[in-house]
């Protein structure tokens, strides 16, 4: 295969597949069955670059010992492109491959030709996927949990787009229900001069300083633009509906500003209130009743969620006539399905875990042809913020929690995003403000960005000396071969696979791990090898290696929404 078209692992997989087909053709092997050919990196480096388990998977079908099958595969290898340096059999039948340095260096040509597209693929084939994330109630500034969700959701979108999906980003505003009523009551109290702690302060009212800001703007009859909302305050402290409309628009604008500062944007903003205004919630309940999946009991309307895997049935409509919180979610997701999104991913906090079964049960009860595992969910765990070894729990502005803007203002967008993405979403995260602010190699994001900046400074130094790097097609790549050089090239070659795995498994943290490993390999190379030498061919080859390294660091950071500075 042409190495420009795939990874080195793909090349080994193709060599094995073609060897099996030749073995079947000449009768050396008889089953004619080609298994899924798994090619992995061996646990021990001395075993080579890749290990293939095909021989062991075929033993039963061939009725032969795996080692004999492995010998047949090896004898039928046709390495026309001279990719393989050596191949041997280990253990019960592993086929170990060690690749030539010249083969590894082909990845540098690929990186230089593809540039910013290196790491991307067409796996998604342009199919549509909708990713819903953040979806915060417009009742206050975004907190750190929203921030983690924003970083994860946005990066999942970037990753899916990188492997060829057509991504729609959606924010669902819960602008209806009791929390919004509490928001309006809180703003009204502030308008009337009532402070938290006063006997007339509303139960469950929002006490942050930002409520005072909303009230002041409302009384001043200010105008707010937020998305498709254009609201001018009535200024009347007794007009609850006017207060509600203004407060929701005001806090939507606040959240939008926070998200812009975080480099997060959306294609669609969907209002929960529209589901009620358009009768969609009532319609969903009527459809479920018509399908026979609901019943009346104790004055309430119940959904038979036990028919769809839940541990007990759930109330849809309470005895007072109001709907429980998961019912509008069912209506909302039916709307997503009707908009043609056969794949939907919801990134939410772990506290939404209990709603997954109920929403899916409600969708199944509609008998609308929706798959049982739809939508897909990515749930993130809580964030603990530390400063000086102690947990930070409150914000001066929000009162009861640390806001996303607090972190961005204190440590910067890049560090905030990178740190939020450093752990698997379902793992709890400790955000160390002191570490995030350090301009040392102990700080993971600084470590990665410094590698990129250092490479840029090397090229600046070369230019000052009149050294012009050769084109990739004229470079003497055979000059490369030190352990540090090979370690860099092998890591560079694995980037597309890392991107694909991160996207398919919704695991952005893999990119942060990879970039830290790549930065470490670069720093190791730089500490042991001079780049600009008396040997022009070696200098040119090393400059090309570093140019490719900078490209991959930049591509990886772009997927995380983090900048790649040229100077630090």
């Amino acid at each position: 295969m042409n190495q420009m078209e795939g990874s080195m692992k793909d090349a080994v997989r193709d060599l094995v597949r073609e060897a099996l087909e030749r073995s079947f053709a000449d009768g050396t092997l008889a089953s004619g069955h080609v298994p899924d050919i798994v090619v992995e990196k061996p646990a021990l480096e001395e075993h080579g670059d890749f290990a293939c388990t095909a021989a062991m998977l075929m033993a039963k079908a061939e009725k032969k010992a795996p080692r004999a099958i492995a010998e047949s595969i090896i004898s039928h290898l046709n390495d026309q492109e001279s990719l393989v340096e050596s191949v041997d059999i280990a253990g019960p039948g592993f086929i170990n491959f060690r690749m030539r340095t010249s083969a590894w260096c082909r990845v540098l040509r690929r990186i230089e030709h593809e540039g910013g597209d290196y790491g991307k693929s067409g796996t998604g084939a342009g199919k549509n996927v909708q990713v819903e994330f953040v979806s915060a109630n417009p009742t206050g500034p975004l907190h750190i949990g929203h921030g983690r969700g924003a970083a994860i959701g946005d990066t999942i979108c970037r990753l899916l787009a990188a492997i060829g999906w057509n991504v729609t980003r959606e924010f669902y505003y819960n602008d209806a229900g009791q929390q919004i009523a509490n928001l309006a009551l809180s703003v009204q109290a502030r308008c009337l001069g009532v402070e938290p702690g006063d006997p007339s302060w509303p139960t469950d009212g929002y006490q942050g300083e930002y409520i005072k800001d909303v009230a002041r703007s409302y009384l001043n009859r200010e105008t707010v633009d937020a998305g498709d909302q254009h609201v001018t305050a009535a200024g009347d402290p007794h007009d609850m509906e006017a207060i509600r409309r203004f407060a929701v628009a005001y806090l939507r604008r606040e959240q939008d500003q926070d998200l812009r500062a975080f480099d997060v944007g959306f294609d669609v903003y969907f209002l929960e209130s529209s589901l009620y205004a358009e009768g969609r919630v009532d319609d969903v309940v009527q459809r479920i009743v018509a399908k026979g999946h609901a019943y009346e009991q104790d004055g309430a309307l119940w959904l038979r969620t036990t028919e769809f895997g839940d541990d007990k049935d759930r109330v849809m409509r309470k005895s007072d006539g109001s709907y429980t919180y998961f019912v509008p979610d069912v209506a909302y997701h039916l709307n997503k399905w009707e908009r043609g999104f056969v794949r939907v991913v919801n990134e939410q906090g772990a506290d939404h875990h209990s709603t997954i079964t109920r929403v899916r049960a409600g969708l199944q009860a509609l008998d609308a042809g929706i798959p049982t595992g739809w939508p897909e969910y990515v749930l993130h765990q809580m964030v603990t913020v530390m400063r000086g070894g102690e947990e930070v729990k409150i914000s001066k502005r929000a009162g009861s929690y640390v806001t996303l803007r607090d972190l961005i203002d204190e440590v910067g967008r890049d560090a905030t995003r990178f740190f939020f993405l450093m752990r698997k979403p379902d793992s709890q995260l400790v955000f160390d403000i002191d570490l995030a602010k350090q301009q040392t190699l102990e700080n993971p994001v600084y470590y990665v960005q410094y590698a990129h900046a250092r490479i840029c400074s090397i090229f600046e130094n070369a230019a000052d000396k009149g050294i012009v790097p050769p084109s990739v097609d004229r470079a003497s790549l055979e000059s490369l071969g030190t352990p540090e050089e090979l370690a860099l090239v092998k890591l560079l070659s694995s980037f597309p696979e890392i991107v694909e795995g991160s996207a398919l498994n919704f695991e952005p943290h893999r990119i942060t791990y990879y970039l830290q490993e790549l930065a470490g390999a670069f720093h190791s190379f730089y500490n042991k090898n001079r780049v600009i030498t008396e040997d022009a061919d070696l200098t040119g080859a090393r400059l090309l290696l570093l140019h490719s390294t900078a490209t991959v660091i930049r591509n990886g950071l772009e997927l995380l929404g983090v900048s790649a500075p040229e100077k630090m």
Side-chain angles (χ1 to χ4, degrees):
M1 83 179 269
N2 183 343
Q3 180 61 15
M4 294 296 293
E5 297 173 355
S7 69
M8 189 74 78
K9 187 178 285 188
D10 290 333
V12 172
R13 195 177 287 114
D14 286 349
L15 285 173
V16 172
R17 183 181 295 107
E18 291 162 5
L20 283 171
E21 289 169 355
R22 281 188 285 274
S23 297
F24 296 141
D26 69 9
T28 308
L29 297 177
S31 70
H33 171 65
V34 179
D36 289 335
I37 299 172
V38 178
V39 177
E40 298 290 352
K41 185 178 179 181
L44 299 176
E45 190 174 341
E46 56 264 32
H47 288 172
D49 297 313
F50 298 109
C52 178
T53 59
M56 291 181 286
L57 295 175
M58 296 177 66
K60 186 175 181 180
E62 290 292 332
K63 299 179 181 178
K64 284 187 177 182
R67 291 184 69 91
I69 299 170
E71 288 168 1
S72 177
I73 292 172
I74 292 173
S75 68
H76 286 83
L77 288 172
N78 183 14
D79 182 20
Q80 293 183 337
E81 295 188 59
S82 298
L83 300 174
V84 180
E85 180 179 291
S86 64
V87 57
D88 57 62
I89 305 170
F94 291 100
I95 305 175
N96 289 338
F97 292 84
R98 188 174 298 281
M99 314 307 287
R100 295 181 187 274
T101 300
S102 59
W104 282 115
C105 287
R106 295 184 188 197
V107 73
L108 301 182
R109 294 192 173 92
R110 180 181 173 189
I111 295 169
E112 293 302 306
H113 282 293
E114 296 183 11
D117 288 333
Y118 180 67
K120 296 180 179 179
S121 73
T123 302
K127 290 179 287 188
N128 293 331
V129 59
Q130 185 224 56
V131 182
E132 180 207 332
F133 60 109
V134 183
S135 294
N137 296 329
T139 54
L142 297 178
H143 57 60
I144 53 173
H146 296 135
R148 190 180 189 192
I152 293 169
D154 182 62
T155 304
I156 286 173
C157 291
R158 292 169 186 250
L159 287 164
L160 288 171
I163 66 167
W165 287 85
N166 180 34
V167 181
T168 297
R169 300 152 174 258
E170 185 149 318
F171 190 122
Y172 177 62
Y173 275 111
N174 297 98
D175 63 334
Q178 188 57 49
Q179 289 176 310
I180 300 301
N182 291 339
L183 170 67
L185 288 169
S186 304
V187 174
Q188 182 189 46
R190 287 289 194 179
C191 288
L192 295 172
V194 178
E195 299 281 337
D198 188 284
S200 60
W201 182 260
T203 305
D204 298 324
Y206 294 94
Q207 302 184 20
E209 287 294 301
Y210 67 92
I211 295 294
K212 191 182 293 185
D213 297 336
V214 178
R216 186 183 303 114
S217 295
Y218 177 78
L219 291 174
N220 290 337
R221 302 177 187 272
E222 294 179 8
T223 298
V224 169
D225 289 300
D228 58 352
Q229 290 188 329
H230 181 81
V231 180
T232 298
D236 179 359
H238 301 289
D239 188 338
M240 285 299 295
E241 179 56 24
I243 292 174
R244 186 198 68 78
R245 275 199 316 273
F246 181 80
V248 167
Y250 185 102
L251 290 168
R252 276 191 61 183
R253 183 183 65 182
E254 289 275 301
Q255 292 181 356
D256 289 347
Q257 290 171 348
D258 289 348
L259 290 168
R260 277 196 294 274
F262 209 38
D263 195 22
V264 172
F266 293 87
D267 303 304
V268 177
Y269 292 90
F270 194 101
L271 302 182
E272 180 186 1
S273 58
S274 70
L275 296 171
Y276 291 95
E278 297 169 10
R280 290 180 175 272
V281 180
D282 287 336
D283 179 62
V284 155
V285 173
Q286 290 168 14
R287 288 175 63 174
I288 290 174
V289 170
K291 294 292 182 180
H293 297 299
Y295 61 93
E296 296 268 1
Q297 182 177 305
D298 300 327
L301 181 66
W302 296 68
L303 172 64
R304 299 184 198 276
T305 49
T306 49
E307 294 179 358
F308 306 101
D310 204 354
D311 58 343
K312 61 181 180 181
D313 293 341
R314 307 289 176 174
V315 173
M316 286 194 295
R317 188 174 61 227
K318 293 181 282 189
S319 56
D320 63 4
S322 64
Y323 291 116
T324 53
Y325 62 91
F326 81 91
V327 178
D329 282 353
V330 175
Y332 173 45
H333 283 85
L334 176 62
N335 176 270
K336 292 184 183 186
W337 180 259
E338 290 173 343
R339 279 186 275 156
F341 290 112
V342 295
R343 188 176 191 200
V344 166
V345 181
N346 291 345
E347 201 294 329
Q348 298 173 323
D351 56 330
H352 287 78
H353 185 273
S354 62
T355 69
I356 295 175
T357 302
R358 298 171 205 183
V359 170
R360 286 177 173 168
L363 293 169
Q364 291 305 299
L366 293 167
D367 293 339
I370 299 174
T372 55
W374 189 97
E376 300 168 73
Y377 285 87
V378 179
L379 302 181
H380 66 263
Q381 285 288 347
M382 64 178 290
V383 181
T384 302
V385 179
M386 305 291 290
R387 183 195 284 116
E390 296 183 355
E391 183 178 350
V392 182
K393 292 186 176 181
I394 63 170
S395 158
K396 184 176 181 181
R397 190 158 170 270
S400 59
Y401 58 86
V402 180
T403 70
L404 172 60
R405 183 59 69 92
D406 290 335
L407 284 184
I408 296 173
D409 288 347
E410 185 156 2
V411 307
R413 185 194 73 195
D414 286 348
T416 303
R417 287 188 66 119
F418 198 95
F419 272 58
F420 275 147
L421 296 167
M422 279 170 49
R423 295 289 177 267
K424 193 174 180 180
D426 62 6
S427 298
Q428 293 193 8
L429 175 73
V430 175
F431 193 113
D432 187 333
I433 288 179
D434 299 323
L435 179 60
K437 291 171 69 173
Q438 282 184 27
Q439 303 236 330
T440 70
L441 298 185
E442 297 297 314
N443 178 348
V445 65
Y446 184 90
Y447 186 68
V448 174
Q449 290 179 317
Y450 182 65
H452 184 268
R454 201 174 200 181
I455 293 171
C456 291
S457 70
I458 292 169
F459 276 87
E460 196 174 280
N461 183 36
D464 290 343
K465 295 181 178 181
I467 299 172
V468 179
S471 69
V472 66
D473 297 315
R474 298 176 65 87
S476 301
L477 298 181
E478 64 274 6
S479 302
L480 301 174
T482 69
E484 297 79 29
E485 289 165 342
L486 282 178
L488 260 181
V489 174
K490 290 177 183 180
L491 268 175
L492 295 174
S493 75
S494 68
F495 182 61
E497 183 183 356
I498 296 292
V499 172
E500 182 138 330
S502 299
L504 295 178
N505 293 285
F506 308 134
E507 293 183 341
H509 70 284
R510 295 192 192 187
I511 303 294
T512 69
Y513 288 1
Y514 172 83
L515 288 174
Q516 290 176 81
E517 187 178 5
L518 182 59
F522 159 71
H523 291 305
S524 178
F525 160 83
Y526 185 77
N527 292 336
K528 295 182 181 177
N529 299 273
R530 287 178 57 204
V531 178
I532 299 174
T533 71
E534 294 73 23
D535 184 332
D537 286 344
L538 179 60
T539 297
R542 285 181 171 171
L543 284 172
L544 182 68
L545 171 61
L546 294 193
H547 190 267
S548 293
T549 302
T551 296
V552 174
I553 291 175
R554 193 162 53 248
N555 291 356
L557 288 173
E558 172 65 25
L559 289 171
L560 302 179
V562 176
S563 68
E566 296 185 3
K567 292 183 181 294
M568 292 182 73

